[in-house]
Amino acid sequence: MDVMPQHPPEPPHSDHSDPDHLDRPPPTSPPSGPYDVPPETQPAPDCEPPSGLDPESSAEPPPASLHTTLRRAAFGMVAAAVLVTGAVVAVPDDGKKAAPPSVPGGVSRALAATNSGSPASLSDLKAMIGDRQSWVGGHPSDARSWAVLGTAYVEWGQRSADAAYYGRAEQALKRSLDAQPGDRGNTAALVGLAALANARHDFVTAKKWGETVRARQPKDWTAYPVLIDAYDGLGDYTAAGKAAEKFTALRSGVPALSRTAQMYRNQGRREDALATAQNAADRATAPAEKADCLHRLGELAWERGESEKAVAQYSAALRTDPAHHPSLAGRARALAALGRTDEAQRDYRAALSRLPRPEYMLELGELYESLGRDDDSLGQYTRLRKSLTRADGYGVDDALLLGRFEADHGNAAAAVKLLKTEWQRRHHSAAVADALGWALHRSGDSASALQYAQKAADTGGGTALYAYHLGVIEQDLREYGPARRHLEEALRTNAQFSPLAAPAARKALDALSPPSATGPRDVQPTPGPDRMAAGPGRSTHAPAGAASPAPGGH
């Protein structure tokens, strides 16, 4: 075998605390084979498993006992239910079906969770990955198990913030298609490739794979979650809403309620989003699923400026599932808004030790900057750059986050270039529109920035950050009435939406005098961005953007 390590993945925090780990260049892999439907974009760089996991060690697994053989055969019979597809029987290579014995433990729990479209716990996901690794070692023609394993690697990569697993996922999914092409019914592998493309932020390719499955099997519910994510990434919120409705019709339950809540949030229907998310949380039973729902409630509370409620929801998520690390970062954000900065720093550091996402590095860096801890903030920004560079080597497109960071703490002109490329790739989400508009403003082109900032504010669900950016751009263009309205909206929505940007919003609003009966008074606008080059990691002017939670946790 050429892609599978002998052992299941290490815990998410196993090596990310080592700075050298971020600097290690990614290895390369053999070139890709043909796909059933070729993507329009160039294939992303592939990779082999990280060092320390020997891909050759699983080539000749030890002989299995009769009990193990029967157990693995039973797992194979339901493996296609995992993560990406409904129940499909996988027959052992000798053509004989084994009677399905009871399968207790983490693997069965992972099967049950993912068959319903819910997240498995990290420990159960790890157990299932280890089992599928062993199974395909002795059954290399089992296309379904390869698809299950590949898609499990995608989920592990996302939930551990380790992009190295995306290369393994791609190789496993290709092995699945080699054993059974997509046009011969292997939709599980195609859905897995869509999930992989979404994880790498290649939403055009994800859309192609998802729509291919939908065209062939329109009642296969597994196509719709990946399509929702792809449409959201492309900014096609109408198509995302239709996909969410179809998903609900085919697969009602907690996962569908969660997707519907996100759809309402994207449409700015906050009360509907809250009610639906609460319904999902009330109905959830498994710890990992319930923690996910409570985290969503925390995000909604945070966006409404209800920081105390947000802390309560994130804390409830962590009590339900202590391994739900995104809730640590969410609670840190809310604690910072409450002025509890020591606790916020504690939670950020804990989150980053377990889930080193670059967006958390940006948030902690900005918190340090707001506290005057310049050396510490610069350290986080340096770590962020290394993390993004490493992820890029594994095929992840993080231009959105890098562009936001460069606009506020680095080179605004470079941010414009990055984000214009994203826009040209048809990534027309509210997040990209907002970031591009802000980068244009920061580079001195507020006239061009206005249309993008307006689009973000109109379609972004009414977030405080988008309203703030639009208000500052309007102020720079001497449109004082709209500027005042949008700055007031930002602070009314969430008065502490960022440790850097919220104080800047209040300062910008104070600089505006109320208009007279005959028009605005002689008000001097806040000075535009300093045209002097900024050093890495330092803001070029007072109003600085802030890290904002992506819709759905992307």
Side-chain angles (χ1 to χ4, degrees):
M1 305 300 295
D2 60 349
V3 300
M4 310 319 310
Q6 177 72 13
H7 304 291
E10 292 299 316
H13 60 283
S14 60
D15 58 3
H16 292 290
S17 60
D18 176 12
D20 294 335
H21 179 75
L22 296 176
D23 294 329
R24 187 182 305 131
T28 57
S29 67
S32 304
Y35 286 105
D36 187 43
V37 179
E40 290 180 359
T41 55
Q42 293 296 320
D46 205 345
C47 63
E48 294 176 1
S51 59
L53 296 175
D54 181 7
E56 300 299 329
S57 63
S58 62
E60 298 293 337
S65 65
L66 176 61
H67 175 75
T68 300
T69 301
L70 291 175
R71 179 174 60 84
R72 289 177 179 173
F75 292 160
M77 295 177 68
V78 293
V82 181
L83 299 170
V84 294
T85 184
V88 178
V89 174
V91 182
D93 287 354
D94 59 7
K96 298 178 181 180
K97 295 183 181 179
S102 175
V103 187
V107 178
S108 63
R109 289 193 297 270
L111 290 169
T114 54
N115 187 39
S116 68
S118 299
S121 72
L122 285 173
S123 59
D124 291 349
L125 179 62
K126 177 179 177 179
M128 192 270 293
I129 288 175
D131 181 81
R132 288 299 87 196
Q133 288 173 346
S134 298
W135 175 262
V136 298
H139 303 80
S141 62
D142 186 346
R144 296 298 183 181
S145 287
W146 279 113
V148 166
L149 183 58
T151 310
Y153 275 145
V154 174
E155 183 173 355
W156 187 271
Q158 290 177 302
R159 293 174 66 182
S160 66
D162 190 347
Y165 282 94
Y166 297 153
R168 299 187 205 180
E170 186 169 354
Q171 293 179 62
L173 293 166
K174 289 176 184 176
R175 290 293 297 269
S176 178
L177 288 172
D178 287 343
Q180 181 185 356
D183 58 3
R184 289 173 50 194
N186 191 0
T187 56
L190 299 183
V191 172
L193 286 171
L196 174 61
N198 277 327
R200 285 172 160 167
H201 305 153
D202 183 1
F203 303 115
V204 172
T205 299
K207 174 186 173 184
K208 290 173 71 70
W209 292 127
E211 289 183 344
T212 297
V213 174
R214 183 178 62 184
R216 291 174 180 170
Q217 297 188 24
K219 293 186 178 181
D220 183 350
W221 66 268
T222 64
Y224 293 95
V226 292
L227 278 174
I228 294 167
D229 290 341
Y231 291 140
D232 280 342
L234 294 170
D236 190 348
Y237 300 117
T238 299
K242 292 179 180 178
E245 291 171 358
K246 184 66 173 178
F247 178 48
T248 300
L250 292 171
R251 199 75 178 180
S252 61
V254 173
L257 287 169
S258 295
R259 292 284 182 173
T260 301
Q262 183 60 32
M263 176 187 72
Y264 288 148
R265 182 262 173 211
N266 289 343
Q267 295 172 350
R269 297 166 58 182
R270 295 188 178 277
E271 295 305 317
D272 290 333
L274 177 60
T276 307
Q278 186 64 62
N279 188 12
D282 292 342
R283 295 176 59 178
T285 55
E289 180 180 65
K290 193 170 190 70
D292 238 28
C293 294
L294 292 168
H295 176 82
R296 185 176 299 278
L297 287 170
E299 297 289 276
L300 291 171
W302 159 254
E303 289 186 353
R304 295 192 307 272
E306 299 173 352
S307 298
E308 291 280 8
K309 288 184 179 179
V311 168
Q313 297 290 4
Y314 293 131
S315 297
L318 289 165
R319 287 193 300 271
T320 303
D321 180 6
H324 198 270
H325 308 313
S327 289
L328 271 173
R331 189 170 69 181
R333 191 183 310 121
L335 287 168
L338 293 169
R340 296 160 63 179
T341 56
D342 288 344
E343 296 168 86
Q345 293 170 62
R346 175 206 64 197
D347 277 0
Y348 270 129
R349 288 192 292 265
L352 283 166
S353 71
R354 296 165 175 83
L355 187 62
R357 289 181 175 170
E359 56 265 36
Y360 302 161
M361 301 171 195
L362 178 57
E363 292 181 21
L364 179 55
E366 292 188 332
L367 176 59
Y368 283 147
E369 189 173 337
S370 73
L371 297 172
R373 296 174 56 178
D374 293 346
D375 289 343
D376 289 329
S377 66
L378 184 59
Q380 287 300 316
Y381 298 152
T382 300
R383 186 182 178 192
L384 178 148
R385 287 187 184 277
K386 291 180 179 180
S387 179
L388 294 181
T389 298
R390 180 175 183 272
D392 180 70
Y394 291 115
V396 179
D397 171 22
D398 267 326
L400 172 57
L401 181 59
L402 181 57
R404 286 174 47 218
F405 169 73
E406 291 287 358
D408 279 322
H409 306 285
N411 187 326
V416 170
K417 184 176 180 180
L418 281 167
L419 294 164
K420 279 187 173 179
T421 299
E422 282 294 283
W423 195 260
Q424 291 164 359
R425 295 181 65 202
R426 291 189 281 163
H427 290 186
H428 294 174
S429 67
V432 174
D434 169 73
L436 177 53
W438 187 243
L440 285 164
H441 163 72
R442 293 282 280 166
S443 68
D445 189 1
S446 293
S448 299
L450 185 61
Q451 60 174 320
Y452 297 105
Q454 286 176 330
K455 175 181 173 60
D458 290 344
T459 63
T463 69
L465 181 67
Y466 297 169
Y468 160 66
H469 284 166
L470 178 56
V472 171
I473 291 168
E474 289 168 333
Q475 185 181 29
D476 197 48
L477 294 171
R478 297 177 180 268
E479 297 182 10
Y480 301 126
R484 170 177 285 278
R485 287 197 302 272
H486 287 117
L487 291 169
E488 288 175 342
E489 178 188 341
L491 295 170
R492 184 172 59 250
T493 300
N494 185 350
Q496 302 294 337
F497 64 93
S498 158
L500 291 178
R506 285 188 286 273
K507 182 177 180 181
L509 187 58
D510 288 343
L512 293 171
S513 298
S516 66
T518 58
R521 296 176 183 173
D522 184 14
V523 180
Q524 294 300 318
T526 299
D530 188 345
R531 303 300 188 263
M532 297 176 64
R538 305 307 307 150
S539 300
T540 57
H541 70 159
S548 175
H554 295 289

